[in-house]
Amino acid sequence: MRNQFTTFRDVLLHDFNLKRLEIPGYSWRSYARSMNVSSGRMSEIMSGKKGLSEKAALKMSENLNLPTELITLFLELVAEHQHSKLLKMSTRSTATFLLDNWDGVALLVLMKSPSFKSEKSWIATKLGVSLERVTYLLDTLVAANQVTQDSEGNYRVLEVPIPFWNNLPVNRTVHSNIRCFEYFTDKLEFVETASAQATSLTVSIPLAKMDELKRLLADFHYGLKSLSDHSPESQISRLQVQLIPITVTAESSS
């Protein structure tokens, strides 16, 4: 049966021809009406200008006058077509997807954790998202060649570089990655204590030199930012610098 029907359009054409044998003068307009779609939409589908979503295919399958196994094949071919479209996802669209979906980036980072489990329920709990969302993220990342799945169903990250910041609109990149990084660094807490480095420093600064201190902190901030490298070998870390007064001056207490 697979040899006869290689695309979902072949199945629709077969269904149309069967109905035309039963009803002389049966037209594509009539067939489109029986499928509850417009004739223009049906024309675009059959010509290859438009695809067919799995949801639309499921509704359409209710009106197919075909054996159950052929209807099942129709739905499988639609799903395969959708998957092939994902496989053609460009590097640019992959980067855009990750910029717009904090949980996509979070999942990639989570998968590099030593404690990662290829269990959708575990991932959903860690990210705080639904099982359906996890399935969508994994399918998209696999199709985008960022994640692979072995024969036992285990997922792992492929070290495929993505030009995160290159060839993307600057204004979109700035706003998207800030939102994305803020979300996933807040969500994920899998870094072992031993791998985190933390320290605090308490100093006495004359009030007259507070402006100078703030300039030093600003210089430190920009200096650190110049070291940022978004290559695949980079590690994303969060550094928080806070200037918190812990004494009350005579001036402020009066």
Side-chain angles (χ1 to χ4, degrees):
M1 188 178 294
R2 278 272 180 172
N3 293 332
Q4 183 181 356
F5 304 101
T6 57
T7 72
F8 70 86
R9 295 182 179 87
D10 295 334
V11 180
L12 292 177
L13 180 61
H14 177 68
D15 186 50
F16 169 76
N17 287 332
L18 288 177
K19 290 183 178 179
R20 191 167 57 173
L21 288 174
E22 296 177 1
I23 307 173
Y26 191 74
S27 66
W28 277 106
R29 185 182 296 275
S30 299
Y31 186 69
R33 192 180 305 117
S34 72
M35 293 290 115
N36 293 318
V37 298
S38 67
S39 57
R41 171 66 173 158
M42 180 61 72
S43 176
E44 289 178 330
I45 291 172
M46 296 307 296
S47 65
K49 292 181 180 179
K50 295 288 185 180
L52 194 60
S53 69
E54 293 180 60
K55 183 178 180 180
L58 187 61
K59 292 183 65 175
M60 192 176 285
S61 68
E62 298 173 357
N63 301 309
L64 292 175
N65 188 27
L66 297 171
T68 302
E69 60 269 21
L70 198 49
I71 292 176
T72 300
L73 177 61
F74 168 72
L75 294 174
E76 289 176 352
L77 290 170
V78 169
E80 289 175 7
H81 177 72
Q82 290 296 315
H83 185 66
S84 67
K85 286 173 62 178
L86 282 174
L87 287 175
K88 295 177 182 178
M89 182 182 286
S90 66
T91 301
R92 180 188 179 96
S93 58
T94 302
T96 303
F97 166 78
L98 291 174
L99 285 171
D100 286 344
N101 295 271
W102 70 265
D103 43 6
V105 181
L107 179 53
L108 289 176
V109 176
L110 182 61
M111 291 177 71
K112 294 185 178 183
S113 167
S115 60
F116 176 75
K117 298 179 182 179
S118 289
E119 300 171 6
K120 291 182 180 180
S121 58
W122 183 87
I123 297 171
T125 300
K126 279 290 184 180
L127 298 183
V129 298
S130 67
L131 284 172
E132 291 76 12
R133 180 64 178 174
V134 171
T135 299
Y136 167 74
L137 292 172
L138 287 170
D139 289 347
T140 303
L141 292 171
V142 168
N145 200 34
Q146 296 301 309
V147 170
T148 186
Q149 185 180 25
D150 62 25
S151 58
E152 297 181 355
N154 296 315
Y155 292 95
R156 69 178 180 84
V157 177
L158 294 173
E159 299 300 334
V160 179
I162 300 175
F164 237 37
W165 323 111
N166 298 332
N167 304 318
L168 289 170
V170 174
N171 60 336
R172 177 171 187 165
T173 302
V174 170
H175 294 297
S176 295
N177 73 65
I178 289 175
R179 183 182 70 247
C180 174
F181 287 160
E182 285 181 347
Y183 269 120
F184 86 75
T185 51
D186 283 338
K187 283 280 184 179
L188 295 183
E189 296 179 355
F190 60 83
V191 177
E192 300 294 335
T193 304
S195 66
Q197 298 184 20
T199 186
S200 63
L201 177 66
T202 303
V203 292
S204 176
I205 304 294
L207 293 177
K209 293 189 176 182
M210 289 302 295
D211 288 341
E212 183 179 350
L213 174 60
K214 292 176 182 179
R215 283 195 297 271
L216 286 173
L217 290 175
D219 291 342
F220 173 73
H221 171 79
Y222 288 113
L224 190 64
K225 193 174 182 180
S226 68
L227 298 176
S228 179
D229 180 6
H230 302 292
S231 67
E233 293 76 23
S234 298
Q235 172 180 293
I236 299 174
S237 301
R238 167 176 284 184
L239 174 68
Q240 292 180 314
V241 179
Q242 296 177 298
L243 185 60
I244 305 174
I246 59 176
T247 58
V248 179
T249 64
E251 180 180 337
S252 62
S253 62
S254 60

